[in-house]
Amino acid sequence: AAGRPVLRQMFIESQRRFNTDLYMYSNGDILFHIKKLITSLKEIKRFTKAHNIRRFIVFGGRREAKFYSTSGDTIEIISGLDEEITRRGQGTKLGLSNAQDYFITSKTSFPWDAMPDFVVSVPAFDNWLLMFSNKADIATFDITATNLAVHQAGAPKFIDNDYNKSASNNMELYNESIISYGGTSIYCCKWKTMYDGGGKVIIVKNPTFKNECIGKLKIPVENLLDENIFQG
């Protein structure tokens, strides 16, 4: 993988080493409002248990905050506490809807063994996850509306030969799996979190989820949904 971690192996190894309710991947340049994140995930846990949803994966969008510019102006994080993250997120806009920079599953809610050897921090692996999950009838949740994830934007991407090899590897795997390329947007999650009138996090059906969100895949998804995969 040209020196970059393979996402599938990261989750499998983390789940082997640690026993916890949820496991999360995030790009290293994302700052989270921890209280909002935990509150959103608690509602996901409650909802999936109440509705007997055993197969699920959680996604979310990011807000773009300029931390670096070529003129030398940079912003440094002082405390990293929720209050500071709130300030950094004020006045920012949502990033690209097809950039899923973080996602969360439980130990048994997603079949990581079935995922190709995508590497992290280059394109395609996140889009594949969303498309595969919707095709495989794994419940997809979008927590953008109740979670604050701030992207430390502005720093130029370091692209070398290893980066290009990794990106080429991911695109090859992606093209081997995908027939139609719809359904890569965060708006294609089946469920979403929101606040009710009293400020409580709730989960509702996502009105932007359409039939077009179910992509066509070359891989035999039905063979990957054997019940044994999901036994914890």
Side-chain angles (χ1 to χ4, degrees), residues 52-73:
N52 196 29
I53 299 174
R54 296 187 302 115
R55 306 167 183 170
F56 66 89
I57 184 169
V58 181
F59 297 93
R62 70 191 191 196
R63 305 197 72 86
E64 301 291 344
K66 195 168 185 179
F67 275 69
Y68 174 89
S69 70
T70 54
S71 64
D73 296 329

Side-chain angles (χ1 to χ4, degrees), residues 40 43-44 47 141 191-194 201-205:
S40 300
E43 176 58 15
I44 297 284
F47 184 88
F141 292 86
W191 303 89
K192 63 178 293 185
T193 56
M194 61 176 293
V201 175
I202 61 172
I203 293 175
V204 298
K205 288 185 176 180

